[in-house]
Amino acid sequence: MELATWIPFFLATVAISLSPGPGAIAAMGAGLNHGYQRGQRIAFGLALGVWTQLVVVGVGLGALLATSNTAFSVVKWLGVAYLVWLGIQQWRAPAAPLVARDEGAGQMSTRALILRGWTVNAVNPKGTVFLIAVLPQFVDTAQPLLAQYLVIGATFGVVEFCVMSGYAALASRVLGLLRTQRQMRTTNRVFGSLFVLAGALLATFKRV
């Protein structure tokens, strides 16, 4: 991929990653409930989810989701159900202040955090359809496709990881100042509501 093509793609991936969505909510929720060091691990799962989407599009399954009503609906409603479930879990999360928590006690494992991040991004047909619309603008079919997809995947994955790590850090550092149970309970319910809202918005998404 030529530099003149890569720079616009890089800027596009930064804008996509920074835009509010389920991934950002998941990263901030993990930073809030687990602190930055542990919560950051969800960012790796979110990056894996992005790579999964790229593979789906690259092997042609994305075209199936974009053209098959049944396949699209199944994936969409799985995504909706998962986001609503995350919202309920966040709403019911313990109200103990983050600063008072034991980093190793009562928290999600690394595997669970990575799996949560992966699922949020992987089970999202909106992302697949978006990639189908965007990627062709940056792929030169006259050049080897594998090398271009590797550059695209590395760029998207690194950007997603860095941005989501930033969201986790923001939540752990800023929201970590909350010290009372009432403040934490309110914050957990706000994040829980955001997950449900993200699920509701995904439910309204339709193929273009």
Side-chain angles (χ1 to χ4, degrees):
M1 181 179 289
E2 296 182 357
L3 185 62
T5 302
W6 179 81
I7 291 177
F9 175 73
F10 170 74
L11 295 176
T13 59
V14 171
I16 294 166
S17 295
L18 284 174
S19 61
I25 297 170
M28 289 189 287
L32 170 68
N33 287 283
H34 305 286
Y36 174 67
Q37 184 175 359
R38 181 175 291 272
Q40 182 194 30
R41 296 167 189 175
I42 201 171
F44 181 64
L46 290 165
L48 288 178
V50 165
W51 286 330
T52 301
Q53 290 277 5
L54 286 170
V55 171
V56 166
V57 172
V59 299
L61 294 180
L64 174 64
L65 291 178
T67 57
S68 169
N69 287 326
T70 301
F72 179 85
S73 295
V74 168
V75 175
K76 182 179 79 170
W77 289 110
L78 282 175
V80 170
Y82 185 69
L83 289 173
V84 171
W85 179 80
L86 286 182
I88 294 172
Q89 293 293 103
Q90 187 73 42
W91 183 279
R92 299 173 60 186
L98 178 65
V99 293
R101 293 184 182 180
D102 181 356
E103 183 68 17
Q107 297 191 331
M108 294 178 65
S109 67
T110 295
R111 178 182 297 180
L113 285 168
I114 292 175
L115 180 61
R116 170 173 289 192
W118 176 83
T119 307
V120 166
N121 269 352
V123 187
N124 186 354
K126 183 177 180 179
T128 304
V129 175
F130 178 83
L131 288 174
I132 291 173
V134 171
L135 281 186
Q137 304 175 43
F138 301 99
V139 174
D140 184 357
T141 55
Q143 302 295 328
L145 293 180
L146 178 59
Q148 294 180 74
Y149 273 110
L150 289 176
V151 171
I152 287 171
T155 302
F156 218 152
V158 170
V159 168
E160 181 77 356
F161 177 80
C162 292
V163 170
M164 294 306 147
S165 293
Y167 275 127
L170 174 66
S172 64
R173 304 288 168 78
V174 177
L175 299 180
L177 298 175
L178 304 176
R179 295 178 180 277
T180 68
Q181 286 189 345
R182 181 177 180 181
Q183 289 173 327
M184 283 298 300
R185 185 180 298 110
T186 299
T187 305
N188 282 334
R189 290 180 176 178
V190 168
F191 273 91
S193 299
L194 288 174
F195 270 121
V196 174
L197 177 61
L201 291 175
L202 179 58
T204 65
F205 179 71
K206 300 179 180 179
R207 291 187 293 110
V208 178

